[in-house]
Each structure stands twice: as structure tokens, then as C-alpha cells.
Amino acid sequence: MLTPESNRLMDMSSREIRMPLDEVVAVLQDLNEFVVSLDRLGSRQASGTADEYTVGTFVADRDVARRLARARRVIGVALDAQLSEEDNAEIDALCDQGRFHGTDRATGPSTGRSG
């Protein structure tokens, strides 16, 4: 059964957001690096040649948290500039439904797209 939220999501699914190509390329480069590297690290963990320390070192050395926050900010700025406050509030609410490590679901995450 479709809820009002799912109806709005369907309406939003055909919309397009424009972003500067240089920012899109930078985000894609970071995401590609993370996906390939984490896949390789996962394979190494499965074969016993890497452990959690190795993954933690990668995350710290490659500044993954800051770079992912930048990617989120780039997308958030484009959304904020091109969508209504209501649409952005709905997207923020959907993002808050994610699975967050180290948070109690009862208290909810402390997130924000733009930060």
C-alpha cells in the first residue's frame, strides 16, 4: 500500500538535480577509491591477511570521514539550492532513518546533510 510519503518519493524520483561537473567528478573519485579499497581490504580480511586495525588505518590515513562528509555536503548544497524546504525536510527525514554505528535508535542519530 502506498503511503503519502511513498507517493511524494515517487514524485521526486523523476526530478533531476544539477551539480557542477568538477564537484561530481571529485565525489566519484573519492567514492571509487573507497569502494575499491574497502573491497580489497574485505578480501584480505576474509583470507586472514588483514584485521580491523588495517581497516581502521585505511580510514584514518585516507581521511575517509572528512572526504565522505564533503561528498554529503556537495550533494546537500545542490539539494538545498534546487528543492523546496518541504522537499529538503523530507530528504533529511529519510536520511535520518539510516543505520548509524554507535547510536541508540531510541535517541536517534545526530546527523545533517549539510554538515
Side-chain angles (χ1 to χ4, degrees):
M1 172 155 206
L2 292 178
T3 64
E5 293 83 20
S6 60
N7 281 334
R8 278 197 43 78
L9 285 178
M10 288 174 43
D11 291 341
M12 288 183 12
S13 68
S14 63
R15 296 178 66 184
E16 295 182 11
I17 299 296
R18 297 181 65 85
M19 295 173 52
L21 183 58
D22 62 333
E23 291 184 1
V24 171
V25 170
V27 167
L28 285 173
Q29 286 174 319
D30 283 346
L31 293 175
N32 189 55
E33 178 183 333
F34 302 150
V35 168
V36 171
S37 296
L38 290 171
D39 180 62
R40 289 177 182 168
L41 286 166
S43 294
R44 286 184 55 202
Q45 279 184 313
S47 70
T49 60
D51 58 16
E52 293 81 17
Y53 176 78
T54 307
V55 175
T57 299
F58 166 77
V59 169
D61 288 352
R62 301 303 302 152
D63 205 9
V64 173
R66 183 193 59 77
R67 291 167 63 192
L68 286 173
R70 181 188 176 282
R72 180 179 64 182
R73 186 173 51 254
V74 165
I75 294 168
V77 166
L79 292 172
D80 289 344
Q82 297 174 56
L83 297 178
S84 69
E85 268 188 56
E86 181 180 75
D87 288 339
N88 278 303
E90 183 175 347
I91 291 168
D92 286 342
L94 290 170
C95 290
D96 285 345
Q97 294 174 11
R99 295 175 47 197
F100 303 95
H101 178 75
T103 59
D104 180 359
R105 287 295 287 169
T107 60
S110 74
T111 63
R113 280 188 297 110
S114 301

